[in-house]
Amino acid sequence: QVQLVESGGGLVQPGGSLRLSCAASGFTFSSYAMYWVRQGPGKGLAWVASTNYEGTTGNYADSVKGRFTISRDNAKNTLYLQMDSLRPEDTAVYYCARGCKYLGATPNCDYWGQGTQVTVSS
């Protein structure tokens, strides 16, 4: 069965950094593009970043561009999100996901992780 398990979230001060990880299993990880999606308090799901199956491309929402970096290690079946220069508005539950497409601004994905909480606050 497909399983995606995020880790690495926590409380960080504005300007700080976190690195999220997503451990994948139950499918051929290296054959799929992967995504990070987040949901802030009282907000809907929003795409954050995506990468192709090789990990050679990274695409980012304007709100995180230049601050976040998506990467993957296919040998370890793991997806990463390096988050730098964090802002309070980055506070959200962050989800690793597979097979996403977009109708309007909302991502629709075939598999999701359980999410990991990121809180940016003084």
Side-chain angles (χ1 to χ4, degrees):
Q1 61 189 53
V2 172
Q3 189 170 19
L4 301 170
V5 181
E6 301 96 334
S7 62
L11 176 65
V12 64
Q13 294 184 345
S17 297
L18 285 173
R19 191 189 195 197
L20 306 183
S21 297
C22 170
S25 61
F27 67 102
T28 304
F29 178 71
S30 60
S31 296
Y32 288 86
M34 295 297 296
Y35 304 79
W36 287 100
V37 179
R38 69 185 182 186
Q39 186 168 28
K43 299 180 179 180
L45 292 167
W47 170 69
V48 174
S50 61
T51 188
N52 68 340
Y53 68 92
E54 299 173 295
T56 54
T57 64
N59 299 299
Y60 304 90
D62 287 342
S63 58
V64 307
K65 194 171 296 181
R67 300 187 298 119
F68 290 13
T69 304
I70 189 170
S71 62
R72 66 194 297 163
D73 186 338
N74 285 342
K76 296 181 179 180
N77 287 351
T78 303
L79 179 73
Y80 303 98
L81 185 68
Q82 177 67 44
M83 306 186 295
D84 298 318
S85 302
L86 284 162
R87 304 167 180 170
E89 53 264 41
D90 295 318
T91 295
V93 177
Y94 283 73
Y95 298 93
C96 170
R98 192 197 86 175
C100 300
K101 58 184 180 182
Y102 301 87
L103 292 175
T106 303
N108 188 307
C109 311
D110 63 1
Y111 290 97
W112 300 79
Q114 85 288 352
T116 186
Q117 176 70 48
V118 172
T119 302
V120 185
S121 177
S122 298

